[in-house]
């Protein structure tokens, strides 16, 4: 069974530039999550989708971050404009349904903002 | 107070040793509990769920103490391959909160 796919694997940008990350969850998984993991910390939830609807985006910095999951399958996360403190690994995860807390993570995108 | 707190370590133990990690959580209404494992520069992976009655999976034992609001993970007969960061996860209203992780290094 294919796992959660993410791209790119690495991204280096300058502050104030824009960046986008892509995620394709495990086939059939209704719930998709984007997490931010800063070095030395645990993953922090940015946004959670159930199919193509947002379940929780309370910790998403909406002035610069946006995410969509238009067809209820793959998803993109965008940062515009990026700040130095956005340097982190951005992890996508999926689970079969909301309420099933067993998450399957992708390999992540490591973002460096210079 | 953080929602989920873990001792960051690092814990450096010899092969064959027994090691235990604790994790405390602040919200007494928390519903489900898990341990995830994260290898260096890799994604987190589910290690085991934690049940009120305690549960065991091979060399790993997880326990929950709701009265004191902590969960624990015990690893017996440590292997080199157990070296990783162990993340405590607590859920409330379907929202998962991760601890910062405890780093374990098993030495030959």
């Amino acid at each position: 069974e294919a796992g959660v796919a993410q791209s790119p694997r690495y991204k280096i940008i300058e502050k104030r530039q824009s960046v986008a990350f892509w995620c394709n969850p495990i086939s059939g998984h209704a719930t998709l999550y984007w997490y931010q993991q800063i070095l030395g910390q645990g993953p922090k939830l940015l946004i959670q989708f159930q199919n193509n609807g947002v379940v929780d985006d309370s910790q998403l910095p909406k002035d610069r971050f946006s995410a969509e999951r238009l067809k209820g399958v793959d998803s993109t996360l965008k940062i515009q404009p990026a700040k130095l403190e956005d340097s982190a690994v951005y992890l996508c995860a999926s689970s079969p349904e909301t309420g099933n807390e067993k998450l399957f993570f992708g390999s992540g995108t490591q973002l460096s903002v210079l | 107070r953080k929602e989920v707190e873990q001792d960051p370590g690092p814990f450096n133990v010899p092969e064959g040793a027994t090691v235990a990690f604790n994790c405390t959580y602040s919200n007494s209404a928390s519903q489900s509990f898990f341990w995830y494992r994260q290898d260096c520069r890799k994604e987190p992976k589910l290690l085991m769920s934690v049940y009120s009655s305690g549960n065991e999976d091979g060399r790993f034992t997880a326990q929950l103490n709701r009265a004191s609001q902590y969960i624990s993970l015990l690893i017996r007969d440590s292997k080199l391959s157990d070296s990783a960061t162990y993340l405590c996860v607590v859920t409330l209203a379907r929202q998962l909160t991760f601890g910062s992780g405890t780093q374990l290094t098993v030495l030959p």
Side-chain angles (χ1 to χ4, degrees), chain A residues 9 33 35 37 40-43 45 48 56 58-59 91 98-99 101-103 105-108 110, chain B residues 3 31-32 34 36 38 41-46 49 51 87 91 94-101:
Chain A
R9 186 72 180 89
Y33 308 78
Y35 282 88
Q37 187 172 25
Q41 299 181 18
L45 179 68
Q48 177 181 342
D56 183 354
S58 57
Q59 299 186 85
L91 293 161
T98 296
E101 299 112 337
K102 297 177 183 177
L103 271 56
F105 283 88
S107 300
Q110 185 172 329
Chain B
E3 289 183 63
Q31 295 158 315
S32 303
F34 304 87
Y36 275 71
Q38 186 170 26
R41 300 184 184 277
K42 299 285 189 179
E43 71 275 19
K45 292 183 178 178
L46 178 66
S49 303
Y51 303 117
L87 297 160
T91 71
R94 299 178 177 176
Q95 183 175 84
L96 285 77
T97 301
F98 284 76
S100 295

Side-chain angles (χ1 to χ4, degrees), chain A residues 49-78:
Chain A
F49 293 95
Q50 172 76 4
N51 295 312
N52 61 347
V54 175
V55 173
D56 183 354
D57 65 355
S58 57
Q59 299 186 85
L60 187 73
K62 298 181 185 64
D63 58 333
R64 299 185 300 106
F65 286 65
S66 64
E68 59 183 15
R69 193 186 184 198
L70 291 176
K71 297 181 179 178
V73 181
D74 57 349
S75 175
T76 56
L77 175 70
K78 296 179 182 178

Side-chain angles (χ1 to χ4, degrees), chain B residues 72-87:
Chain B
S72 63
L73 178 68
L74 180 78
I75 306 175
R76 291 181 300 277
D77 188 22
S78 300
K79 310 291 185 191
L80 297 177
S81 57
D82 294 334
S83 297
T85 295
Y86 291 83
L87 297 160

